[in-house]
Amino acid sequence: MPPKDKNVAAAVDQVTQRATDAGAVIAERADEARQTLTATGRDIADRAATLKDEAGTAALAVKDRTVETAGLVKDHAAELAHDLADRMPRSTEQWEALGRDLRDRIRANPTPWAVGAAAVLVAYLVGRRTTR
């Protein structure tokens, strides 16, 4: 049987060796984890850059479509205004004819006109009352 000091020294050496081996394994795994995290971070950054580019492209497309639609609406509104201006009476005779036509329509069917006039009168009176 070897002396106790040699057993203790051998045990210490064995523990030291195991601790060194365990430390090397931990360091190796930590390095693998660092590499994995670095690769994942780069991948996420690349995907974020791609999404940013796609969002910018989509925003430009929406802007272009909005400008195009606004132009179409403006053109349509201008056409309607010109059409309305063309249909408006220009002379006294045209205004008188329009008045006679309106009078004839009211005489032919007075009920809807009376209801409409009553609704306008009620709205006017309610509006006057709320302002006082």
Side-chain angles (χ1 to χ4, degrees), residues 3-4 17-18 22 26-28 32 34 38 59 61 71 79 85 91-92 97-98 101-102 104 107 111 114 129:
K4 286 186 180 181
Q17 184 62 39
R18 286 185 181 170
I26 290 172
E28 185 178 311
E32 289 173 5
R34 181 188 57 80
T38 301
E79 288 175 18
S91 67
T92 306
L98 182 66
D101 183 46
L102 180 63
D104 293 341
R107 285 183 179 167
T111 305
R129 243 188 208 169

Side-chain angles (χ1 to χ4, degrees), residues 72-94:
L72 291 174
V73 168
K74 179 191 73 124
D75 293 343
H76 188 64
E79 288 175 18
L80 289 175
H82 288 295
D83 188 39
L84 180 63
D86 290 342
R87 292 182 182 197
M88 290 295 292
R90 289 186 172 37
S91 67
T92 306
E93 293 83 21
Q94 289 175 335

Side-chain angles (χ1 to χ4, degrees), residues 12-42:
V12 167
D13 287 342
Q14 190 178 20
V15 168
T16 303
Q17 184 62 39
R18 286 185 181 170
T20 303
D21 292 344
V25 169
I26 290 172
E28 185 178 311
R29 288 191 180 161
D31 188 49
E32 289 173 5
R34 181 188 57 80
Q35 290 175 358
T36 302
L37 288 174
T38 301
T40 303
R42 285 187 189 131

